[in-house]
């Protein structure tokens, strides 16, 4: 069996496990729909100033927060899924490694599973948002959301391996909302320096660009992919260390 | 069950073993020891309020003053919101994991003669102790940088926010006994509730009062900035807490019926 086939098979096993727990799949659909749906239903339709690529413009609160809430949904799902998928798979993956499976293949399969959960949440959230506000560039917007889910999924994996389950849940509960909705908020003209070191910096810019600006600049996309790769390497080392220990 | 067990003597012991109050105390003691045994949990109790309260304050520092937001200092408002968020999410996750991690143990304790009421009481009282500790810690962090006009009322508002989410966490844990699903629900509930109830968006709809943190947010904001809490808000928060506790108890009793943890 080729390396790719093994990754595919491990991923398929993970997806079958998702499918066997319909409650989880249901939650991945219902929670994003609730999160974005209730917001667009009750949020005030006020127009406020914001900054996109250094230019001041205006948009409605629903458009701005809608653009921030979708990547937040991805980050919340990715973070929690990353935390639990890897923690629960560690023992099995250790045995699979002893049985001869390449740890890198296992890592690829586990992280793809986390990305799939995040992508489902982002797709549902974008669909619900689109009933009220259609992102200017829907494909780029979904890409931003999925990237956010992957980044936080990798961070969730790291959190689970480094600080454990309970502290990891606290981190993954707290970080996405504070990072994306508050620190990366485009209504802020002169952002605090903390915003520039948080993981949601580039993906939030990307999401705002795609939702309101209608363009996707290489400036936030490139660094977002690099950031994703860098955190991925860290998470891979941590997970590799755990399953081969 | 013998009469002696049904009506334990004043010593707290019956012919079959310790009486109900002693068993409750023992159960709570065991839960607290189990929590304290992990140093990271203690670190979280101290670090979380500091990170969340100060983090919210910093995040709000550069925020624009949106129309309809009634506060002179967005930083102070951010810190107040951070304190409520800290207690709510700490209590929610604590309640969730109390129930999830207790199911196996409770099944055995049920076989040993513990009633469902005792087991729920033990878990609940442990969560309430946790709620009071995190409330005190959050209020202390808030008081370092913000003048709290009515500290007792602020404590009451924060404690109610914690108890409401502690009960919701237990309820979610009883209905969804797997950590992944339960955590997802708590994460979405707390984040969204706090976001909408915080008063940052000037949302004017009756739907908002259905959110668990709506009344506690109003209570704490009024206690910190105005020095007086509206009776309606306090009553609403207390009613919400009682209903949440009652539903959590009923669901817990239902899912553990016919054998604890089954």
């Amino acid at each position: 069996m080729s390396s790719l086939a093994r990754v595919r098979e491990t991923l398929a096993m993970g997806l079958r496990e998702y499918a066997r727990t319909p409650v989880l799949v249901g939650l991945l659909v219902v929670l994003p729909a609730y999160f974005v749906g209730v917001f667009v239903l009750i949020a005030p339709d006020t127009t406020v100033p914001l900054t996109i690529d250094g230019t001041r413009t205006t948009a409605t609160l629903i458009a701005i927060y809608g653009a921030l809430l979708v990547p937040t949904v991805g980050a919340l799902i990715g973070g929690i899924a990353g935390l639990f998928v890897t923690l629960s798979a560690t023992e099995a993956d250790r045995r699979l490694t002893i049985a001869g499976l390449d740890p890198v293949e296992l890592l690829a399969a586990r992280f793809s599973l986390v990305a799939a959960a995040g992508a489902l949440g982002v797709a549902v959230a974008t669909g619900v948002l689109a009933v009220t506000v259609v992102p200017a560039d829907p494909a780029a917007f979904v890409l931003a959301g999925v990237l956010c889910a992957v980044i936080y999924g990798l961070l969730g994996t790291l959190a689970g391996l480094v600080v454990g389950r309970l502290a990891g849940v606290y981190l993954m509960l707290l970080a996405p909302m504070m990072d994306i909705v508050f620190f990366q908020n485009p209504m802020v003209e002169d952002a605090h320096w903390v915003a520039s070191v948080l993981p949601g910096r580039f993906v939030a810019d990307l999401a705002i660009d795609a939702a309101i600006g209608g363009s996707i600049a290489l400036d936030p996309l490139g660094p977002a992919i690099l950031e994703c790769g860098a955190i991925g390497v860290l998470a891979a080392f941590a997970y590799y260390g755990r399953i081969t220990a | 069950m013998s009469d002696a067990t049904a009506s334990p003597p004043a010593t707290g012991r019956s012919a079959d073993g310790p009486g109900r109050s002693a068993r409750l105390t023992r159960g709570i003691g065991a839960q607290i020891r189990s929590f304290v045994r992990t140093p990271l949990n203690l670190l979280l109790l101290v670090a979380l309020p500091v990170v969340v309260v100060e983090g919210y304050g910093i995040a709000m520092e550069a925020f624009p003053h949106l129309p309809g937001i009634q506060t002179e200092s967005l930083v102070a408002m951010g810190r107040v919101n951070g304190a409520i968020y800290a207690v709510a999410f700490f209590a929610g996750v604590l309640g969730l994991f109390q129930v999830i991690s207790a199911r196996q143990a409770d099944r055995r304790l049920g076989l040993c003669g513990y009633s469902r009421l005792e087991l729920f009481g033990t878990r609940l009282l442990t969560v309430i102790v946790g709620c009071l500790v995190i409330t005190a810690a959050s209020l202390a962090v808030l008081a370092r940088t913000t003048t709290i006009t009515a500290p007792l009322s602020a404590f009451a508002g924060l404690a109610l926010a914690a108890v409401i989410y502690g009960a919701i966490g237990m309820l979610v844990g009883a209905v969804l006994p797997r950590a992944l699903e339960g955590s997802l629900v708590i994460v979405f509930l707390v984040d969204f509730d706090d976001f909408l109830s915080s008063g940052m968006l000037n949302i004017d709809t009756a739907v908002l009062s259905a959110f668990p943190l709506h009344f506690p947010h109003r209570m704490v904001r009024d206690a910190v900035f105005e020095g007086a809490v509206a009776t309606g808000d306090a009553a609403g928060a207390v009613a919400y807490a009682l209903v949440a506790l009652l539903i959590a108890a009923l669901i817990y009793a239902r899912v553990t019926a016919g054998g604890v943890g089954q």
Side-chain angles (χ1 to χ4, degrees), chain A:
Chain A
M1 195 184 255
S2 72
S3 180
L4 189 63
R6 279 198 295 267
V7 172
R8 218 167 29 219
E9 184 57 33
T10 316
L11 176 62
M13 281 169 62
L15 288 173
R16 277 200 295 275
E17 202 177 320
Y18 273 178
R20 268 198 297 269
T21 46
V23 173
L24 176 61
V25 179
L27 288 175
L28 291 177
V29 173
V30 170
L31 291 174
Y34 159 76
F35 200 69
V36 177
V38 174
F39 174 76
V40 296
L41 208 66
I42 67 174
D45 204 12
T46 320
T47 300
V48 292
L50 76 156
T51 307
I52 299 179
D53 295 333
T55 311
R56 288 300 268 180
T57 178
T58 58
T60 63
L61 273 179
I62 293 180
I64 295 170
Y65 278 107
L68 293 173
L69 287 182
V70 172
T72 305
V73 163
L76 288 171
I77 291 177
I80 294 291
L83 177 74
F84 284 107
V85 166
T86 44
L87 277 186
S88 63
T90 307
E91 275 308 305
D93 285 357
R94 192 175 284 154
R95 291 191 203 101
L96 287 170
T97 309
I98 293 168
L101 244 77
D102 188 343
V104 177
E105 294 165 3
L106 287 169
L107 283 170
R110 299 303 175 204
F111 291 156
S112 303
L113 201 59
V114 172
L120 175 59
V122 167
V124 172
T126 307
V128 173
L129 178 67
V131 174
T132 314
V133 183
V134 179
D137 185 341
F141 185 63
V142 170
L143 173 71
V146 174
L147 261 176
C148 197
V150 174
I151 287 172
Y152 267 95
L154 295 166
L155 288 172
T157 300
L158 266 176
L161 294 172
V162 176
V163 296
R165 189 176 73 158
L166 189 62
V169 172
Y170 281 123
L171 270 175
M172 288 303 111
L173 196 156
L174 169 68
M177 199 72 177
M178 275 186 84
D179 177 6
I180 298 163
V181 175
F182 291 104
F183 277 103
Q184 312 300 342
N185 199 307
M187 288 189 293
V188 175
E189 206 170 348
D190 187 17
H192 196 278
W193 66 266
V194 171
S196 64
V197 295
L198 290 174
R201 179 190 170 189
F202 301 113
V203 279
D205 280 354
L206 202 59
I208 291 289
D209 275 359
I212 301 168
S215 65
I216 188 158
L218 268 181
D219 185 21
L221 179 62
I225 292 170
L226 281 177
E227 180 193 358
C228 193
I231 299 171
V233 169
L234 281 178
F237 268 117
Y239 195 59
Y240 184 87
R242 182 63 66 92
I243 61 175
T244 53

Side-chain angles (χ1 to χ4, degrees), chain B residues 183-220:
Chain B
S183 301
L184 267 177
V185 172
I186 288 294
V187 161
F188 272 88
L189 284 183
V190 178
D191 273 350
F192 193 50
D193 182 6
D194 183 70
F195 176 57
L196 292 183
S197 303
S198 64
M200 297 299 304
L201 289 175
N202 192 30
I203 295 170
D204 183 24
T205 166
V207 177
L208 212 54
S209 59
F211 284 88
L213 289 179
H214 174 72
F215 292 116
H217 257 292
R218 290 169 63 107
M219 272 183 80
V220 180

Side-chain angles (χ1 to χ4, degrees), chain B residues 29-190:
Chain B
Q31 293 296 316
I32 293 173
R33 275 197 299 279
S34 151
F35 184 84
V36 172
R37 218 174 281 138
T38 310
L40 189 63
N41 288 343
L42 295 177
L43 181 69
L44 278 173
L45 258 180
V46 179
L48 272 179
V50 176
V51 171
V52 181
V53 172
E54 288 309 312
Y56 262 66
I58 291 170
M60 297 310 294
E61 226 173 70
F63 235 71
H65 213 112
L66 295 176
I69 298 179
Q70 292 164 348
T71 182
E72 284 178 18
S73 166
L74 280 172
V75 176
M77 190 177 177
R79 288 193 180 118
V80 168
N81 289 340
I84 300 168
Y85 184 54
V87 298
F89 84 67
F90 183 90
V93 175
L94 181 66
L96 174 77
F97 282 102
Q98 269 293 310
V99 172
I100 289 178
S101 62
R103 285 172 80 92
Q104 275 298 105
D106 281 2
R107 181 181 294 156
R108 296 190 192 102
L109 287 170
L111 292 171
C112 293
Y114 271 72
S115 70
R116 278 178 281 154
L117 185 68
E118 282 173 330
L119 291 172
F120 178 75
T122 308
R123 307 301 170 205
L124 177 64
L125 288 173
T126 309
V127 170
I128 288 177
V129 169
C131 288
L132 294 177
V133 173
I134 190 73
T135 297
S138 296
L139 196 63
V141 173
L142 183 64
R144 277 183 57 250
T145 49
T146 309
T147 307
I148 302 171
T149 320
L152 279 178
S153 301
F155 184 89
L158 286 174
L160 280 166
V163 170
I164 289 171
Y165 263 98
I168 291 175
M170 294 182 77
L171 174 63
V172 172
V175 177
L176 297 168
R178 276 165 43 108
L180 172 57
E181 286 91 331
S183 301
L184 267 177
V185 172
I186 288 294
V187 161
F188 272 88
L189 284 183
V190 178

